[in-house]
Amino acid sequence: MKNLFIVVLLLVSSFSFAQTAEEKAQANNPLANLTAFNLQQYYSPNLSGNSEATQSSYWMRFATPTGRVLWRASLPINTYSNPELGISRSGLGDFDLFGAYLAVSKPTLSVGIGPSVSAPTATHSSLGTGKWTAGAAAVAYASVSPQFQVGGLAIWRTDVGGDANRDDVNFMAIQPFAFWQVSNGVYFRTAPTWNFNLEKGEYNVPVGFGIGKIVKVGNSVCNFFIEPQYSVLHYGDNQPIFQLYSALNMQF
């Protein structure tokens, strides 16, 4: 399963489907005024604190606009394995919801800001926080040219309820991204997510560089990509040293 997106990308890379320049530019826009469904995976075969430990997160994300607000709901399926401690867990993680009010919505620039919340839906304590959390998020996406797009996402949340015996939550995530369209729907990309556990002082700052392919199938735009990422700064146990980020993103 961990190589599923790699296989799909290789199969599709040999085909070329007609797409407009706008469709290619908007295929990676998290604020596109379109209904979208994404299947994304982060797989890390090497975690700090234990070289034998591994983790994987499959994210199912659904986004749809209602007026000037874009709603994005996400639910992960998490797997964590630590042979040294005899631990192997797999199940649902915490449900995540973000409502982005489109303060700016232009063909070349989109800016959204709004509340971000999560619910403790994890099926095991090691796969979630055990807390209800709330905070805010902001995202910007700029189409500098038909070939080059840049932007970023920032999220901050803290716990507002839940299991009193679990650790408090206070975290921030920052994701800068850039995309360079080459030809025939092929593009290069970088979109690492920098995670900061402000409660414990732990952090992980990866860098990444990957390749993707945008194809149009009927009225849907499909975006396949794979991006290896390596942590250049990290502190704390169970931080991904290397991870593979891959996905199939679909816009309708």
Side-chain angles (χ1 to χ4, degrees), residues 116-200:
S116 175
V117 299
S118 73
T121 56
T123 53
H124 191 274
S125 61
S126 64
L127 304 178
T129 65
K131 299 282 191 176
W132 292 87
T133 72
V139 59
Y141 181 86
S143 183
V144 180
S145 72
Q147 290 75 38
F148 192 56
Q149 298 86 42
V150 297
L153 168 69
I155 299 176
W156 170 81
R157 284 205 301 260
T158 188
D159 60 280
V160 294
D163 190 343
N165 296 319
R166 300 290 299 276
D167 291 339
D168 291 338
V169 175
N170 184 9
F171 91 97
M172 176 177 288
I174 300 174
Q175 184 184 35
F177 46 76
F179 311 99
W180 177 29
Q181 310 294 333
V182 185
S183 64
N184 295 323
V186 175
Y187 69 96
F188 296 114
R189 57 173 288 125
T190 179
T193 300
W194 305 338
N195 293 296
F196 302 90
N197 185 330
L198 304 178
E199 187 69 28
K200 296 183 177 180

Side-chain angles (χ1 to χ4, degrees), residues 26-74:
Q26 293 299 308
N28 287 299
N29 184 356
L31 293 173
N33 190 30
L34 297 165
T35 297
F37 181 67
N38 305 335
L39 296 171
Q40 303 178 351
Q41 186 201 20
Y42 288 91
Y43 171 71
S44 179
N46 189 5
L47 305 178
S48 61
N50 187 336
S51 60
E52 294 184 2
T54 63
Q55 69 179 20
S56 174
S57 293
Y58 287 94
W59 284 89
M60 296 176 288
R61 302 188 190 275
F62 176 76
T64 190
T66 55
R68 292 186 68 89
V69 177
L70 179 70
W71 299 96
R72 189 185 77 171
S74 306

